[in-house]
Amino acid sequence: MTLELRNLRKSYREPGGRSVPVLNISEFRMGDGEQVALIGESGGGKTTLLNIIAGITTPDAGDVQIGGVNVGQLPEAIRDRFRADRIGYVFQTFHLLPAFTALENVLLGMSFSGKKVDRQRATQLLERVGLGHRLTHRPGQLSVGEQQRVSVARALANSPVLLLADEPTANVDPANQQLVLDLLRDSCREHQVSLLLVTHSLDVSRQFDRVERLADFNRREALA
Amino acid sequence: MNLAVIAWKNLQQRALASSLTGISIALGVMLMVAVLVISSVLDATFSQRTIGYDLIVGPKGSDLQLVLSTVYHITPPIENLPYRFYREFAADPRIASAIPIAIGDTTEVGGFPIVGTVPQYFLEDYAPKRKFLIRGNTLRRPFDALIGAHVARTNGWDIGSTFKLIHGGSDSHVHDEEFTVVGVLQATGTPNDKSVFVHLDGFYLIQGHDKPFDEAIKREREFFGEPPLTEEELAAEVARLKKKYSHDHSGHDHGHDHDHMEEVPDLQKEVTSILVNAKTPIAANLIAGDLKKGFKAMGVNPIIPMRRLMVDVLGGVKLLLLVLTGLIVAVSGIGIFVSIYNSMSARRREIAIMRALGARRSTVLSIVLAESIMLCLGGGLLGLLLGHGLILLAAPMVEIRTGLLINPATFDPSELILFPVLLLLGSLVGLLPGLTAYRTDVADALNG
Ligand SMILES: Nc1ncnc2c1ncn2[C@@H]1O[C@H](COP(=O)(O)OP(=O)(O)OP(=O)(O)O)[C@@H](O)[C@H]1O
Ligand SMILES: [Mg+2]
């Protein structure tokens, strides 16, 4: 599904009351099924951008259109359901629920969507990220890289149309990095899913046809 | 995973706090169930279904005391009626049956109340339209005894068993006379099950149950409102009686032959009360009215004081206990509130994660509500089981101490009201933390 950002602006307010500009994007587009690697310096606003696209963070101004739908103008409850049904998000800090096992965390991703909770599919996804032997472990009993892969499986669970991945391979060894990357890219390719993937790794970014540097289209200094 | 499963997982995560608050609800409900069941047992015990007589006649005094001592053997009788009164009273043509009762002693084993009466007692309805069934024989000889089903079970007695009595007075010595069980009454669900019936004649033959002549004469004259005798007249009368009944009880040795019917003068006999069935309901009222005008006896329709007892005393106690247990449940509800509310700050991030995964505000509110409702209902269910368990365990003890027969399977329909009430409590208690979850700002809480 297409993604279109227009005149997007976001600043954070510092404790002192000063405003810190983070995002100022006049235009950004992704085609249906397109895969884009997003790179940029730390603190550049990549995570903030992904959160705005997912509807988790509200921008100060501007539009986010997903598949032609202006997400920011949807009533909140419908936007929540839209997020559950259409968007997969591999969070930079995973955001797994500590009380739930790996399998349950994946199932939880399915619970809030309109789709059926499919245990078999959840199990298969975990097997595909190499965690078939860790289904009943809680996040606290998993290594950081394992937690990250649970998060990847959860993001794919609802068959999203747009996949946001915030450094999904930052914590895994090279072999697993490629496994996770292939899984994400192959799943997206199979179902015409658009993929926006943040990475610091050259190994990762050079596999993408389109690589975008955030600083190139984010004129944040113009906001100040 | 549905919301209930998610809520359950959250409760499991706070297992200690969850189980403590759940148990506190359970304890409150347990006490409430116990109160409800015990009061419904009291209702059944003290309702008209336990006695089949129109009137109980006894010395003037408290009508409630008369009923409690005659029917339930709960309080000992204070005064008695002279036997002469019984004889004259029973001759009233309006009366269908008048059965004398003498009580006061207990069995040496088990402490069951002894009821001295006549065989006719077992031919009358013990409760409306219900007749006694006897395995064995009825009372024929003075030292025969019939025992209630509960007595037979508890003491392990059967036909042929023998037993002695403990005197009911202040000295509580064991009487030497031995009674023999000749029959066992089938269970009736009334205080009869826990009584031992002996022949009234045997009751009087027990040493000390016949009043000394001089005392008996004074008492009888006083009862009938006759002027007291002078010292000389009294001495002469005692001498006359002693001569007539030359067998002096107070001095004999106790090796007497039980089959030999000794005679106790009527003067020395007393009855505790008289169970009366009148020929018509109107006759019962008339008899009671006549007694009111007369000497020192009264006729009481047993239902009236029992109903008063139920409403005035037990009703108030029941209400008080229900209010108290209600407060316990309410306080437990506050405990649940505190426990969930306190957990909310720790769970801000988890709630934000669920929102980030697409859970709506109303969904996270529902999850928190489900948690408190599950605690309330789960605690309530546990309390219901514990309450009936408590009754199961306590029934024999209550029975021994108070004489109340409690069927552990007793289920008071008002127990069912608990569940909608607990549902409401859970919703109320979960509402505020639920709204906290509802208001959680996702972006803030995800990073925080
Ligand atoms: N909730 C917030 N309140 C205030 N400032 C924030 C908040 N979130 C992010 N920022 C600031 O916005 C800037 C961009 O943060 P962001 O997390 O988007 O960076 P990033 O590009 O993802 O960095 P990294 O590569 O290290 O993950 C940072 O300077 C950060 O300090
Ligand atoms: Mg980041």
Side-chain angles (χ1 to χ4, degrees), chain B residues 39-59:
Chain B
S39 66
S40 76
V41 166
L42 288 175
D43 274 340
T45 307
F46 292 117
S47 67
Q48 63 262 46
R49 301 186 54 78
T50 50
I51 176 139
Y53 289 94
D54 296 335
L55 282 180
I56 297 178
V57 174

Side-chain angles (χ1 to χ4, degrees), chain A residues 10-15 20-23 38-51 57 92 166-167 198-200 214 220, chain B residues 443-444 447-448:
Chain A
K10 178 74 186 175
S11 308
Y12 282 114
R13 209 152 272 289
E14 270 197 339
V20 180
V22 178
L23 292 178
L38 184 65
I39 56 174
E41 72 205 58
S42 180
K46 302 180 296 296
T47 300
T48 305
L49 178 61
L50 261 51
N51 280 345
T57 297
Q92 187 172 12
D166 201 347
E167 299 187 41
V198 174
T199 183
H200 286 299
L214 181 60
R220 61 197 281 186
Chain B
D444 267 6
N447 300 323

Side-chain angles (χ1 to χ4, degrees), chain A residues 56-57 76-78 80-81 83-84 91 93 95-100 104-105 107-109 111-112 117 154, chain B residues 1-3 5-6 9-10 13 349-351 353-361 363 367 442-443 446-447:
Chain A
I56 291 168
T57 297
E76 192 185 46
I78 294 178
D80 289 335
R81 177 51 69 84
R83 176 161 66 246
F91 299 94
T93 46
H95 294 330
L96 300 178
L97 285 171
F100 295 74
E104 285 165 349
N105 264 287
L107 292 172
L108 198 73
S111 306
F112 304 123
V117 172
R154 184 180 62 185
Chain B
M1 253 191 302
N2 58 30
L3 299 189
V5 177
I6 296 171
K9 290 270 162 196
N10 287 335
Q13 196 189 2
R349 197 168 154 265
E350 290 162 41
I351 286 161
I353 292 171
M354 291 198 272
R355 293 289 320 279
L357 293 176
R360 296 178 184 151
R361 288 185 191 274
T363 307
I367 290 172
V442 187
L446 261 188
N447 300 323

Side-chain angles (χ1 to χ4, degrees), chain A residues 90-92 94 145 148-149 152 165-174 176-182 184 197-201 203-205:
Chain A
V90 184
F91 299 94
Q92 187 172 12
F94 324 143
Q148 185 153 42
R149 283 180 277 158
V152 167
D166 201 347
E167 299 187 41
T169 58
N171 298 291
V172 294
D173 60 282
N176 268 310
Q177 169 169 305
Q178 199 53 47
L179 180 112
V180 168
L181 193 64
D182 288 345
L184 285 172
L197 183 141
V198 174
T199 183
H200 286 299
S201 157
D203 272 349
V204 172
S205 62

Side-chain angles (χ1 to χ4, degrees), chain B residues 111-191:
Chain B
F112 292 105
I114 298 291
V115 180
T117 188
V118 294
Q120 177 69 22
Y121 180 89
F122 305 99
L123 301 176
E124 301 289 329
D125 292 357
Y126 65 85
K129 307 239 174 341
R130 289 198 283 171
K131 295 230 178 284
F132 283 111
L133 287 171
I134 302 174
R135 184 168 59 77
N137 285 316
T138 188
L139 304 175
R140 287 180 304 198
R141 292 167 304 178
F143 289 90
D144 282 356
L146 270 173
I147 57 176
H150 179 77
V151 179
R153 192 158 24 91
T154 309
N155 279 7
W157 290 351
D158 204 347
I159 296 165
S161 302
T162 58
F163 61 93
K164 288 183 177 178
L165 314 185
I166 296 182
H167 189 60
S170 46
D171 53 345
S172 70
H173 66 271
V174 178
H175 289 297
D176 295 314
E177 290 81 357
E178 214 173 45
F179 287 82
T180 306
V181 176
V182 296
V184 179
L185 298 173
Q186 211 168 73
T188 61
T190 67

Side-chain angles (χ1 to χ4, degrees), chain B residues 146-343:
Chain B
L146 270 173
I147 57 176
H150 179 77
V151 179
R153 192 158 24 91
T154 309
N155 279 7
W157 290 351
D158 204 347
I159 296 165
S161 302
T162 58
F163 61 93
K164 288 183 177 178
L165 314 185
I166 296 182
H167 189 60
S170 46
D171 53 345
S172 70
H173 66 271
V174 178
H175 289 297
D176 295 314
E177 290 81 357
E178 214 173 45
F179 287 82
T180 306
V181 176
V182 296
V184 179
L185 298 173
Q186 211 168 73
T188 61
T190 67
N192 288 302
D193 295 351
K194 312 181 51 186
S195 304
V196 171
F197 300 90
V198 301
H199 204 294
L200 199 57
D201 292 338
F203 191 83
Y204 294 129
L205 287 172
I206 298 170
Q207 190 218 352
H209 284 191
D210 45 355
K211 280 202 167 181
F213 282 129
D214 50 350
E215 206 182 298
I217 292 166
K218 277 192 206 153
R219 159 100 177 99
E220 194 183 287
R221 293 190 74 85
E222 192 194 322
F223 185 89
F224 286 102
E226 294 157 354
L229 296 175
T230 62
E231 286 294 320
E232 296 86 64
E233 282 170 327
L234 186 64
E237 183 67 9
V238 169
R240 189 184 66 78
L241 287 165
K242 275 200 174 151
K243 202 163 162 231
K244 186 171 168 197
Y245 303 97
S246 56
H247 187 102
D248 180 0
H249 269 283
S250 53
H252 79 162
D253 64 345
H254 302 300
H256 52 76
D257 174 4
H258 286 178
D259 287 344
H260 168 67
M261 178 80 90
E262 291 171 83
E263 205 189 338
V264 175
D266 282 0
L267 183 69
Q268 287 180 301
K269 298 185 194 170
E270 287 185 324
V271 300
T272 304
S273 51
I274 308 167
L275 299 170
V276 179
N277 276 324
K279 283 179 178 151
T280 64
I282 298 164
N285 281 335
L286 292 175
I287 294 167
D290 287 354
L291 284 170
K292 208 174 272 173
K293 283 179 249 150
F295 314 101
K296 293 199 157 175
M298 63 177 177
V300 174
N301 178 346
I303 296 167
I304 291 166
M306 289 329 299
R307 196 171 288 156
R308 209 176 58 229
L309 176 74
M310 276 319 298
V311 175
D312 291 1
V313 184
L314 299 175
V317 170
K318 178 181 169 182
L319 188 70
L320 183 75
L321 287 174
L322 283 181
V323 167
L324 281 179
T325 51
L327 282 176
I328 294 175
V329 172
V331 168
S332 318
I334 293 172
I336 290 188
F337 167 77
V338 170
S339 151
I340 295 184
Y341 196 80
N342 279 346
S343 74

Side-chain angles (χ1 to χ4, degrees), chain A residues 96 101-102 131 134 137-147 150:
Chain A
L96 300 178
T101 65
L131 291 178
R134 291 284 183 270
H137 283 56
R138 282 174 218 285
Q141 302 164 324
L142 295 173
S143 79
V144 177
E146 285 171 337
Q147 291 179 44
V150 175

